[in-house]
Amino acid sequence: MKQEYQDLILQTCGASSLRVGAKIQTLWSGYGEIVRLHLEGCGRPSVVVKHVKFPEEAEHPGGWNTDRSHVRKVRSYQVETHWYQNYSTNQSCRIPACLAARSYGDEMLIVLEDLDVAGYDLRRTCIKDKEIRACLSWLAHFHALFLGVAPEGLWPVGTYWHLETRPDELEAMDDAELKAAAGDIDRLLNECHFKTIVHGDAKLANFCFSKSRLEVAAVDFQYVGGGCGMKDVVYFLGSCMDERECEKRVPGLLDHYFTELKVFVKKDVNFNALEKEWREMFAFAWTDFHRFLLGWMPGHWKINRYSEKLTKEVLHKLKQ
């Protein structure tokens, strides 16, 4: 790590020295890495650093290495930096505190609180009901907190699969009927009366769990922006349940989400109207992500009978 980066971290944290620890992960398409740094001489034992370095040639697992893809990723890191510097949440929807953020030409550095130290040190690859509900509670609180808030400095429409940013994947689709309906589905989602700020990449891997697994914190805000809260909900549920589990468990889990949402939205919000609209948008939001997958990676495991069933329902509704 360059000396000027180390100096920024030492100065920010008031530390006397630092040691580069384990690499937590490589960023998507080789755009840098996330590492843990161990500190001495200050009250903070460690920090997590997201070090973005724009590559000369990106490595995308699906082969989508285009100028448009690069511009979207650059913008995503700018959005994430703006998010951490200008927005805050509360304990009900915990995120890491941003300690410093700096751009250095084609490199960016975001220095974050280490959530492991804060007690959110568990990661899950398979998940039980109470953990799913904990994540849905986080999303409900997050959506309630930002209900009606304009996404200034963020993506005008959040999520990484938003249609306007994915024309190449749309063009690659074989499903002609869904392809033709994609614009109408996108418009209906965008024209929701009740809008919030969505996380935009709320998969299981982006949640950190407490030891009790009843409290969670979330990371990775590259695609945070405006939109209908159902976009986060469908993406999260699809990231941790297969088609049989979705068929069986989604109704009860949706009820839990809306119960939590009702507790935290402001009292002047017409909650019945909000719930009615967002429940109607559930299948549209699921189909919207399904549309992206069909163009991006047609063999993806999330393309399943549950998704196809909801897509058929949506296409039928659009014809009425």
Side-chain angles (χ1 to χ4, degrees), residues 11-205:
Q11 183 179 0
T12 297
C13 300
S16 56
S17 63
L18 63 80
R19 175 175 58 84
V20 179
K23 178 164 76 171
I24 297 171
Q25 71 179 81
T26 299
L27 297 178
W28 190 256
S29 299
Y31 274 64
E33 61 184 10
I34 302 175
V35 296
R36 177 171 282 108
L37 300 185
H38 301 279
L39 306 176
E40 297 289 342
C42 68
R44 196 180 290 277
S46 57
V47 293
V48 170
V49 175
K50 192 167 191 173
H51 180 196
V52 180
K53 187 173 183 179
F54 303 128
E56 292 181 15
E57 192 165 323
E59 303 167 5
H60 193 289
W64 296 97
N65 296 328
T66 63
D67 289 342
R68 184 182 282 116
S69 173
H70 174 71
V71 169
R72 184 175 60 248
K73 289 184 180 69
V74 172
R75 175 67 183 141
S76 79
Y77 292 115
Q78 293 169 344
V79 164
E80 183 171 40
T81 300
H82 185 85
W83 162 261
Y84 278 126
Q85 290 180 319
N86 294 278
Y87 291 79
S88 61
T89 65
N90 55 40
Q91 193 63 31
S92 297
C93 44
R94 184 79 153 77
I95 65 173
C98 179
L99 307 175
R102 193 74 54 86
S103 292
Y104 301 88
D106 63 350
E107 298 188 36
M108 300 171 73
L109 214 66
I110 305 176
V111 184
L112 298 168
E113 168 193 19
D114 187 346
L115 287 172
D116 280 16
V117 173
Y120 300 91
D121 57 344
L122 296 181
R123 309 294 180 268
R124 307 292 289 158
T125 52
C126 57
I127 193 169
K128 295 180 180 176
D129 188 72
K130 71 173 183 179
E131 296 157 340
I132 293 177
R133 289 173 182 265
C135 294
L136 288 172
S137 295
W138 189 99
L139 288 173
H141 299 172
F142 186 82
H143 295 154
L145 181 65
F146 292 106
L147 191 66
V149 175
E152 294 180 9
L154 311 178
W155 293 96
V157 179
T159 75
Y160 69 81
W161 60 91
H162 171 46
L163 181 64
E164 188 179 337
T165 66
R166 295 290 187 165
D168 297 332
E169 290 83 354
L170 180 68
E171 182 60 32
M173 280 180 65
D174 289 331
D175 187 327
E177 188 179 8
L178 180 54
K179 189 175 186 177
D184 288 335
I185 294 167
D186 180 62
R187 177 180 53 77
L188 285 167
L189 287 165
N190 293 339
E191 290 178 356
C192 272
H193 175 72
F194 294 98
K195 291 193 183 75
T196 185
I197 290 176
V198 296
H199 178 285
D201 193 6
K203 61 190 174 189
L204 176 59

